[in-house]
Coordinates of all heavy atoms in Angstrom, one line a residue:
E9 N 12.7 5.0 -9.5 CA 11.6 4.0 -9.0 C 12.0 2.6 -8.9 O 11.8 1.9 -8.0 CB 10.4 4.1 -10.0 CG 9.2 3.2 -9.7 CD 8.0 3.4 -10.5 OE1 7.9 4.6 -11.2 OE2 7.2 2.6 -10.5
L39 N -1.3 -5.4 1.8 CA -0.8 -5.1 0.3 C -1.7 -4.0 -0.3 O -2.9 -3.8 0.0 CB -1.0 -6.4 -0.5 CG 0.0 -7.5 -0.1 CD1 -0.4 -8.8 -0.8 CD2 1.4 -7.1 -0.4
A40 N -1.1 -3.4 -1.3 CA -1.8 -2.3 -2.0 C -1.8 -2.6 -3.6 O -1.1 -3.4 -4.0 CB -0.9 -1.0 -1.8
T41 N -2.7 -1.9 -4.2 CA -2.7 -1.9 -5.7 C -2.3 -0.6 -6.2 O -1.6 0.2 -5.5 CB -4.2 -2.1 -6.1 OG1 -5.0 -1.1 -5.6 CG2 -4.7 -3.6 -5.7
G42 N -2.5 -0.4 -7.5 CA -2.0 0.9 -8.2 C -0.7 0.5 -8.9 O -0.1 -0.5 -8.7
S43 N -0.3 1.6 -9.8 CA 0.9 1.3 -10.5 C 2.2 1.3 -9.7 O 3.2 0.7 -10.0 CB 1.0 2.3 -11.7 OG 0.7 3.6 -11.1
T44 N 2.1 2.0 -8.5 CA 3.3 2.1 -7.7 C 3.9 0.8 -7.3 O 5.1 0.7 -7.4 CB 2.9 3.1 -6.5 OG1 2.4 4.3 -7.0 CG2 4.2 3.3 -5.7
P45 N 3.2 -0.2 -6.7 CA 3.9 -1.4 -6.2 C 4.3 -2.3 -7.2 O 4.8 -3.4 -6.8 CB 2.8 -1.9 -5.2 CG 1.6 -1.4 -5.6 CD 1.8 -0.2 -6.4
I46 N 3.9 -2.2 -8.5 CA 4.1 -3.2 -9.5 C 5.6 -3.7 -9.5 O 5.8 -4.9 -9.5 CB 3.7 -2.7 -10.9 CG1 2.2 -2.6 -10.9 CG2 4.1 -3.7 -12.0 CD1 1.5 -2.1 -12.1
M71 N -5.7 -3.7 0.8 CA -6.2 -2.5 1.4 C -7.7 -2.2 1.0 O -8.5 -1.7 1.8 CB -5.4 -1.3 0.8 CG -4.1 -1.1 1.5 SD -3.3 0.4 0.9 CE -2.4 0.8 2.4
D72 N -8.0 -2.4 -0.3 CA -9.2 -1.9 -0.8 C -9.8 -2.6 -2.0 O -9.1 -3.4 -2.6 CB -9.1 -0.4 -1.1 CG -7.8 0.0 -1.8 OD1 -7.2 -0.9 -2.4 OD2 -7.4 1.1 -1.8
E73 N -11.0 -2.3 -2.4 CA -11.7 -2.9 -3.6 C -12.8 -2.0 -4.0 O -13.4 -1.3 -3.1 CB -12.1 -4.3 -3.3 CG -12.8 -5.0 -4.5 CD -12.0 -5.1 -5.8 OE1 -11.8 -4.0 -6.4 OE2 -11.5 -6.2 -6.1
Y74 N -13.1 -1.9 -5.3 CA -14.2 -1.1 -5.7 C -15.5 -1.9 -5.3 O -15.6 -3.1 -5.3 CB -14.2 -1.0 -7.3 CG -13.1 -0.1 -7.8 CD1 -12.0 -0.7 -8.5 CD2 -13.1 1.2 -7.5 CE1 -11.0 0.1 -9.0 CE2 -12.0 2.1 -8.0 CZ -11.0 1.5 -8.8 OH -10.0 2.3 -9.2
Y85 N -9.5 -5.0 -8.1 CA -8.2 -5.2 -7.3 C -7.9 -6.7 -7.1 O -6.7 -7.1 -6.9 CB -8.2 -4.5 -6.0 CG -8.1 -2.9 -6.3 CD1 -8.3 -2.0 -5.3 CD2 -7.7 -2.4 -7.5 CE1 -8.2 -0.6 -5.5 CE2 -7.7 -1.1 -7.8 CZ -7.8 -0.2 -6.8 OH -7.7 1.2 -7.0
F88 N -6.0 -7.4 -10.4 CA -4.8 -6.8 -10.2 C -3.8 -7.7 -9.4 O -2.6 -7.9 -9.9 CB -4.9 -5.4 -9.6 CG -3.6 -4.7 -9.4 CD1 -3.1 -3.8 -10.3 CD2 -2.7 -5.1 -8.3 CE1 -1.9 -3.1 -10.1 CE2 -1.5 -4.4 -8.1 CZ -1.1 -3.4 -9.0
L135 N 2.2 -2.6 3.4 CA 2.7 -1.9 2.2 C 1.7 -1.0 1.6 O 0.5 -1.4 1.4 CB 3.2 -2.9 1.2 CG 3.7 -2.4 -0.1 CD1 5.0 -1.6 0.1 CD2 3.9 -3.5 -1.2
G136 N 1.9 0.2 1.3 CA 0.9 1.1 0.7 C 1.5 2.1 -0.3 O 2.7 2.3 -0.4
G137 N 0.7 2.6 -1.1 CA 1.0 3.8 -2.0 C 0.3 5.0 -1.6 O -0.4 5.0 -0.5
I138 N 0.4 6.0 -2.3 CA -0.4 7.2 -2.0 C -1.1 7.8 -3.3 O -0.6 7.7 -4.3 CB 0.3 8.3 -1.2 CG1 1.6 8.8 -2.0 CG2 0.7 7.9 0.1 CD1 2.2 10.0 -1.5
G139 N -2.2 8.4 -3.0 CA -2.9 9.2 -4.1 C -2.2 10.6 -4.2 O -1.4 10.9 -3.4
E140 N -2.5 11.2 -5.3 CA -1.9 12.5 -5.6 C -2.4 13.6 -4.5 O -1.7 14.6 -4.3 CB -2.3 13.0 -7.0 CG -1.6 12.2 -8.0 CD -1.9 12.6 -9.4 OE1 -2.4 13.7 -9.7 OE2 -1.9 11.7 -10.4
D141 N -3.5 13.3 -3.8 CA -3.9 14.1 -2.8 C -3.5 13.6 -1.4 O -4.0 14.0 -0.3 CB -5.5 14.3 -2.8 CG -6.2 13.0 -2.8 OD1 -5.5 12.0 -2.5 OD2 -7.4 13.0 -3.0
H143 N -4.0 10.5 -0.3 CA -4.8 9.5 0.4 C -4.1 8.2 0.5 O -3.2 7.8 -0.4 CB -6.1 9.3 -0.4 CG -6.1 8.7 -1.7 ND1 -6.5 9.4 -2.9 CD2 -5.8 7.5 -2.1 CE1 -6.5 8.6 -3.9 NE2 -6.0 7.4 -3.5
I144 N -4.4 7.4 1.6 CA -3.8 6.1 1.7 C -4.9 5.0 1.6 O -6.0 5.4 2.2 CB -3.0 6.1 3.1 CG1 -2.3 4.7 3.2 CG2 -3.8 6.4 4.2 CD1 -1.3 4.6 4.2
A145 N -4.7 4.0 0.9 CA -5.8 3.0 0.6 C -6.9 3.9 -0.1 O -6.5 4.7 -1.0 CB -6.4 2.3 1.8
F146 N -8.1 3.9 0.3 CA -9.1 4.9 -0.3 C -9.6 5.8 0.7 O -10.7 6.3 0.7 CB -10.2 4.1 -1.0 CG -10.0 3.8 -2.4 CD1 -10.3 2.5 -3.0 CD2 -9.6 4.9 -3.3 CE1 -10.2 2.3 -4.4 CE2 -9.5 4.6 -4.7 CZ -9.7 3.3 -5.2
N147 N -8.6 6.2 1.7 CA -9.0 7.2 2.7 C -8.8 8.6 2.1 O -7.7 9.1 2.2 CB -8.3 6.9 3.9 CG -8.6 5.5 4.5 OD1 -9.7 5.4 5.1 ND2 -7.7 4.6 4.5
E148 N -9.8 9.1 1.5 CA -9.7 10.4 0.8 C -9.5 11.5 1.9 O -9.7 11.2 3.1 CB -11.1 10.6 0.1 CG -11.3 9.6 -1.0 CD -10.5 9.8 -2.2 OE1 -9.4 10.3 -2.2 OE2 -11.0 9.4 -3.4
L162 N -15.6 7.9 -3.4 CA -14.4 8.3 -4.0 C -14.6 9.8 -4.5 O -15.7 10.2 -4.9 CB -14.0 7.5 -5.2 CG -13.8 6.0 -4.9 CD1 -13.4 5.3 -6.1 CD2 -12.9 5.8 -3.8
T166 N -10.0 11.6 -7.5 CA -9.5 10.2 -7.6 C -10.1 9.4 -8.8 O -9.4 8.6 -9.4 CB -9.9 9.4 -6.2 OG1 -9.1 10.1 -5.2 CG2 -9.6 8.0 -6.3
R167 N -11.4 9.6 -9.0 CA -12.0 8.9 -10.1 C -11.4 9.4 -11.4 O -11.2 8.6 -12.3 CB -13.5 9.1 -10.1 CG -14.1 8.4 -8.9 CD -15.7 8.7 -8.9 NE -16.4 8.0 -9.9 CZ -17.5 8.3 -10.4 NH1 -18.0 9.5 -10.1 NH2 -18.1 7.6 -11.3
V169 N -8.3 10.5 -11.8 CA -7.0 9.9 -11.9 C -7.1 8.4 -12.3 O -6.3 7.9 -13.2 CB -6.2 10.1 -10.6 CG1 -4.9 9.3 -10.6 CG2 -5.9 11.6 -10.4
N170 N -8.0 7.7 -11.8 CA -8.1 6.3 -12.0 C -8.9 6.0 -13.3 O -8.9 4.8 -13.7 CB -8.8 5.6 -10.8 CG -7.9 5.5 -9.6 OD1 -6.9 6.1 -9.6 ND2 -8.3 4.8 -8.5
R172 N -7.9 6.5 -16.0 CA -6.9 6.0 -17.0 C -6.9 4.4 -17.1 O -6.5 3.9 -18.1 CB -5.4 6.4 -16.7 CG -4.8 5.8 -15.4 CD -3.5 6.6 -15.0 NE -2.7 5.9 -14.1 CZ -2.9 5.9 -12.8 NH1 -4.0 6.5 -12.2 NH2 -2.0 5.3 -12.0
F173 N -7.5 3.8 -16.1 CA -7.7 2.3 -16.2 C -9.0 1.9 -16.8 O -9.3 0.8 -16.9 CB -7.5 1.7 -14.8 CG -6.1 2.0 -14.2 CD1 -6.1 2.7 -13.0 CD2 -4.9 1.5 -14.7 CE1 -4.8 3.0 -12.4 CE2 -3.6 1.8 -14.2 CZ -3.6 2.5 -13.0
A185 N -16.0 2.6 -3.0 CA -15.1 1.5 -2.8 C -15.3 1.1 -1.3 O -15.9 1.7 -0.5 CB -13.7 2.0 -3.0
M186 N -14.5 0.0 -1.0 CA -14.4 -0.5 0.4 C -12.9 -0.3 0.7 O -12.0 -0.6 -0.2 CB -14.8 -1.9 0.6 CG -16.2 -2.2 0.2 SD -16.5 -3.8 -0.1 CE -17.0 -4.4 1.4
S187 N -12.6 0.2 1.9 CA -11.2 0.5 2.2 C -10.9 0.2 3.7 O -11.8 0.6 4.5 CB -11.0 2.0 1.8 OG -9.6 2.3 2.3
I201 N 5.4 2.9 3.0 CA 4.7 3.6 1.9 C 5.6 4.0 0.8 O 6.7 4.5 1.0 CB 4.2 5.0 2.5 CG1 3.2 4.7 3.7 CG2 3.5 5.8 1.4 CD1 1.9 3.9 3.3
L202 N 5.1 3.6 -0.5 CA 5.9 3.9 -1.6 C 5.3 5.1 -2.3 O 4.1 5.3 -2.4 CB 5.8 2.7 -2.7 CG 6.2 1.3 -2.1 CD1 5.8 0.3 -3.3 CD2 7.7 1.3 -1.8
A203 N 6.2 6.0 -2.9 CA 5.7 7.1 -3.6 C 6.8 7.5 -4.7 O 8.0 7.7 -4.4 CB 5.6 8.3 -2.7
F204 N 6.3 7.5 -6.0 CA 7.3 7.7 -7.1 C 6.7 8.8 -8.0 O 5.5 8.8 -8.4 CB 7.4 6.4 -7.9 CG 7.9 5.3 -7.0 CD1 7.3 4.0 -7.2 CD2 8.9 5.4 -6.1 CE1 7.8 2.9 -6.4 CE2 9.3 4.3 -5.3 CZ 8.7 3.1 -5.5
K207 N 4.4 13.6 -9.6 CA 2.9 13.7 -9.3 C 2.6 13.5 -7.8 O 1.6 14.0 -7.3 CB 2.2 12.6 -10.1 CG 1.9 13.0 -11.6 CD 1.0 12.0 -12.2 CE 1.6 10.6 -12.2 NZ 1.0 9.6 -13.0
K208 N 3.5 12.8 -7.2 CA 3.3 12.6 -5.7 C 4.1 13.5 -4.8 O 4.0 13.4 -3.6 CB 3.8 11.1 -5.5 CG 3.1 10.1 -6.3 CD 1.6 9.9 -5.9 CE 0.8 9.1 -6.9 NZ 1.1 7.6 -6.8
Ligands
LIG301 C1 -5.8 4.1 -5.6 C2 -5.5 3.1 -4.6 C3 -4.4 3.4 -3.6 C4 -3.2 3.8 -4.5 C5 -3.5 5.0 -5.3 C6 -2.3 5.4 -6.2 O1 -6.3 5.3 -5.1 N1 -6.7 2.9 -3.7 O2 -4.1 2.4 -2.7 O3 -2.1 4.1 -3.5 O4 -4.5 4.6 -6.2 O5 -2.2 4.7 -7.3 P1 -0.9 4.7 -8.3 O6 0.0 3.8 -7.6 O7 -1.4 4.1 -9.6 O8 -0.4 6.1 -8.3

Side-chain angles (χ1 to χ4, degrees):
E9 177 171 344
L39 294 171
T41 55
S43 44
T44 304
I46 290 176
M71 284 186 151
D72 42 18
E73 180 55 286
Y74 291 112
Y85 289 169
F88 176 98
L135 174 70
I138 55 171
E140 291 176 25
D141 56 8
H143 70 243
I144 183 165
F146 266 133
N147 295 290
E148 299 282 30
L162 303 183
T166 294
R167 291 178 74 212
V169 169
N170 288 5
R172 70 193 193 278
F173 301 117
M186 297 159 94
S187 175
I201 300 296
L202 306 173
F204 305 135
K207 281 189 299 194
K208 304 290 170 73

